Structures are given as structure tokens and as C-alpha cells.
Amino acid sequence: MESEVEKRFNNNNNNNNNDKDEVAPPSALTYLDPLYWNERFDKEQHYEWFKDYSHFRHLILEHIKPHSSVLELGCGNSQLSEEMHKDGITNITCTDLSPVAVHNLHTRLSSKGFKEIKAMVADMLDLPFKDETFDVVIEKGTMDVLFVDSGDPWNPQAETVRKVMTMLQGVHRVLKPDGIFISISFGQPHFRRPIFEAPEFTWSMKWDTFGDGFHYFFYTLKKGTRSLISKQPCEKLDLPSMCLFHDELEGEDYIFRTNLGDSEED
């Protein structure tokens, strides 16, 4: 049975003719294949999932200070680290599972003289860092990849939950006692809350939204403050239908969109 993410991808992919240089995969499940990303990053120099830095810069500057040590998960070919560097946030470690992406980033950073930014191959499900290393961990669309085969968003498959929890446990471990996890996602709060607020985590969950058509969510989870901050209401959000935003559908962001209004309850 196809998940809602798969259905949206396949429906839109069938309605659009792909150019010979198109890097979008034939199925959303392809995003789970590391070889796909190596091949893609060999061809594609730059792509920004969920809007570029200018759309959420004010939120970044609100939560990340110039002296903060930052870990970026799944950097891909995004320019997020370079944009943060321009704002004085220079102590950044970028990671990606793809050695091609990391090599390309090394080359790009060297050409721009961004010597403070580090890049390394690492699996977000097995982070190779000591406990309490970073002030901030940030990901933009990286965790959403784990949900492409999750099935029912109200009741994700056990393997999806296992992978997501493994990732979050690693993030929680490498964050300093008052560190912040920033997750930029399509996933709505009523779907994210059950995993973000699992009993083993001590962080509080808050979010903001940005975007002109699609609503993107900017989650901030501050470690060690769970009992100090009251819960932010998270009723189902009444977001517009995807078909209204043709400019967004030209990219790949629609693949990750999870809108309960598009699915039927049993």
C-alpha cells in the first residue's frame, strides 16, 4: 500500500515530462538509496529543499549565536552552511552520507575561503561524535526522507519509527545540556509531536512556519527544558491544497508534504 507521500510523488511525476537531465527519481522510495544521492550529486551542483536561507534567516538568527558550535545533518548540495557563515556563524560541521556531496562541499568551501566550516561523511543514524559536543544540531528535510515509506502518517511503520528514533537519540546525545535541535520539515506538529516528545527526551518542542504557498515548519527543541515550557497547541492545521501552488510543484518539495486533509480516515 502506497503512503500519501508516494501517491503524491507518483501522481505528479506522471503528469510532468522529465528532461533528459532530470535528477528527480522515478519513485519517492529511491530517496532511501544512498547510490541515488551519489549519482545525483555528481550531476547537480546546488538544490535547496524547503526554500532557501532568506525565508527562515530570521529564525536562524533568533536561535543560533555567532559563537555556537553547529552540526548540520544531511548537508547535500545545500548552501545553508555558507549562508550561516556570512551571518557570523562559523563553527559549523557539515555531514552527509554521500562522499560525493562531502567532496563537492570541500571543494566549494575551499574556493570561497570558508576554512572554519568542516565537512565529513557521517550517517545520521550513527553519529561519530562524543556526548554533549554541539550547541545546535540542524537538519533541513533530512529527517523527512525517513518518512517516504512510513505508510499511514497517524500510525507509521515500525521500521520508520525505529530509524527516526535512532536519529533523534543520536541528536539528543551529541547536544550540550542546553543545546537546541532545529528541524525544518513538511511534517505537521500533530504528526511530529509523538516522536519529538517521546519520554526519553528532555527537550521542549516549539515551532514556527514560513513559506508563501506551502507551509514549512521550523521546529526548535531545546534540551533540558521539557518540564519548564507549556505545550504549544497543535491542532490539525488547515493548510491549502497542494494543487494551488504550481510554482512549488515545479520543484521536489511536494514529495515530502504531509497534509492530513489529503488523506481519508478509516
Side-chain angles (χ1 to χ4, degrees):
M1 182 177 178
E2 286 185 318
S3 68
E4 288 302 317
V5 173
E6 291 177 85
K7 288 178 183 177
R8 290 190 191 92
F9 174 83
N10 292 326
N11 288 340
N12 282 283
N13 207 35
N14 290 336
N15 291 331
N16 290 282
N17 294 322
N18 293 330
D19 296 331
K20 61 180 181 179
D21 294 329
E22 181 63 60
V23 295
S27 165
L29 295 178
T30 308
Y31 287 119
L32 296 172
D33 181 3
L35 293 178
Y36 162 75
W37 291 107
N38 284 333
E39 294 174 358
R40 174 168 180 158
F41 293 139
D42 257 337
K43 302 174 184 177
E44 182 184 66
Q45 296 301 309
H46 174 231
Y47 187 83
E48 292 292 344
W49 298 91
F50 306 170
K51 297 291 188 179
D52 62 48
Y53 184 73
S54 65
H55 291 83
F56 53 86
R57 176 176 178 263
H58 61 294
L59 297 171
I60 290 288
L61 298 181
E62 179 182 343
H63 296 287
I64 305 180
K65 307 305 178 185
H67 64 271
S68 297
S69 55
V70 180
L71 171 64
E72 181 186 0
L73 303 178
C75 58
N77 53 14
S78 168
Q79 295 179 359
L80 175 59
S81 62
E82 294 148 86
E83 294 298 328
M84 289 193 294
H85 188 284
K86 294 175 184 177
D87 276 328
I89 303 166
T90 59
N91 185 6
I92 305 172
T93 300
C94 301
T95 64
D96 201 281
L97 190 61
S98 167
V100 177
V102 172
H103 172 76
N104 291 345
L105 180 57
H106 270 301
T107 302
R108 196 167 73 241
L109 293 174
S110 178
S111 69
K112 294 181 178 181
F114 292 161
K115 298 179 180 179
E116 300 94 338
I117 302 177
K118 298 176 284 293
M120 60 182 290
V121 176
D123 186 348
M124 66 181 178
L125 301 184
D126 187 19
L127 295 176
F129 305 105
K130 295 181 180 179
D131 295 0
E132 301 181 357
T133 299
F134 298 97
D135 295 302
V136 178
V137 177
I138 186 170
E139 64 88 14
K140 183 159 77 86
T142 306
M143 187 175 72
D144 285 29
V145 172
L146 300 178
F147 285 95
V148 298
D149 63 344
S150 64
D152 179 4
W154 286 112
N155 187 28
Q157 295 181 17
E159 181 62 12
T160 297
V161 174
R162 185 193 68 80
K163 289 181 179 178
V164 173
M165 290 301 295
T166 297
M167 173 192 167
L168 293 177
Q169 288 162 357
V171 170
H172 195 272
R173 178 182 63 80
V174 303
L175 276 176
K176 293 181 180 179
D178 59 349
I180 297 175
F181 174 41
I182 295 174
S183 177
I184 301 173
S185 172
F186 258 145
Q188 294 185 21
H190 50 275
F191 293 137
R192 290 294 182 261
R193 171 158 280 169
I195 56 172
F196 282 158
E197 294 191 340
E200 63 199 272
F201 303 132
T202 67
W203 49 37
S204 59
M205 185 185 91
K206 297 181 67 177
W207 69 87
D208 296 275
T209 60
F210 65 92
D212 299 325
F214 285 156
H215 283 72
Y216 303 85
F217 295 91
F218 188 102
Y219 292 96
T220 53
L221 298 97
K222 187 168 184 178
K223 191 174 179 180
T225 62
R226 181 166 184 169
S227 63
L228 302 179
I229 300 177
S230 60
K231 287 187 176 182
Q232 187 174 353
C234 83
E235 293 84 2
K236 176 186 174 292
L237 301 180
D238 186 16
L239 303 182
S241 172
M242 272 177 40
C243 64
L244 299 178
F245 308 114
H246 299 292
D247 58 327
E248 297 283 4
L249 292 177
E250 293 176 0
E252 292 179 77
D253 284 359
Y254 63 87
I255 296 171
F256 291 132
R257 188 156 197 265
T258 304
N259 187 338
L260 182 63
D262 293 336
S263 62
E264 296 181 357
E265 296 185 53
D266 295 334

